[in-house]
């Protein structure tokens, strides 16, 4: 059974940092694309970043490049999202997602992902 468990969310002041974790199990880590999405109240789910653990390829939403960094720990089958210089508009529920086959160019499209975690709340105060 594929499982994705997010953690690390919380309340932080603007300008601060958080590191989210996505612990995975039930599949071969290197065979899947793993991504982070977020959804703010009243807004559509938005792709944040994606990584291919097999070769380390990474993808970011253009608006978040330079502030967010995705990485993996193969020993723990875990994906991290380091978020720096946080802004109030980063407030959202952050979700981890995984899929075996994501077409090139569609790494940040939510409907390409079959497996999802339960989400973790990130709140950035001004």
């Amino acid at each position: 059974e594929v499982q994705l468990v997010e953690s690390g969310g919380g309340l932080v002041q603007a300008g601060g940092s958080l590191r989210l974790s996505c612990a995975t199990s039930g599949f071969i880590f290197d065979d899947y694309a793993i991504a982070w999405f977020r959804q703010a109240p009243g807004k559509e789910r938005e792709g944040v970043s994606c990584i291919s653990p097999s070769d380390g390829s990474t993808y970011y939403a253009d608006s978040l490049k330079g502030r967010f960094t995705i990485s993996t720990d193969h020993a723990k089958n875990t994906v991290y999202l380091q978020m720096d210089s946080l802004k109030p508009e980063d407030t959202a529920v952050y979700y981890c997602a995984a899929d075996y086959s994501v077409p090139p160019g569609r790494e940040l499209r939510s409907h390409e992902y079959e497996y999802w975690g339960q989400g973790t709340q990130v709140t950035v105060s001004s």
Side-chain angles (χ1 to χ4, degrees):
E1 179 188 6
V2 173
Q3 288 192 326
L4 306 170
V5 180
E6 303 96 333
S7 61
L11 174 64
V12 63
Q13 287 189 332
S17 297
L18 280 175
R19 189 179 78 157
L20 305 183
S21 300
C22 173
T24 74
S25 61
F27 61 94
I28 298 174
F29 193 60
D30 277 0
D31 284 354
Y32 279 61
I34 302 172
W36 286 97
F37 292 83
R38 68 184 184 183
Q39 188 165 20
K43 294 189 177 182
E44 292 187 355
R45 192 164 294 189
E46 173 189 18
V48 173
S49 183
C50 173
I51 191 165
S52 295
S54 60
D55 63 6
S57 298
T58 58
Y59 310 86
Y60 295 94
D62 288 342
S63 62
L64 300 175
K65 286 180 182 177
R67 293 197 300 123
F68 288 15
T69 305
I70 193 169
S71 62
T72 59
D73 182 334
H74 279 78
K76 298 181 179 179
N77 286 349
T78 296
V79 175
Y80 301 101
L81 184 69
Q82 177 68 40
M83 306 186 295
D84 298 318
S85 302
L86 283 163
K87 305 175 181 180
E89 51 264 43
D90 294 319
T91 295
V93 177
Y94 284 71
Y95 297 91
C96 179
D99 199 272
Y100 180 75
S101 178
V102 177
R106 303 182 72 82
E107 292 85 359
L108 299 183
R109 303 289 183 95
S110 60
H111 59 266
E112 298 291 348
Y113 291 82
E114 180 175 2
Y115 302 103
W116 291 82
Q118 82 288 351
T120 186
Q121 176 71 48
V122 171
T123 303
V124 184
S125 63
S126 56

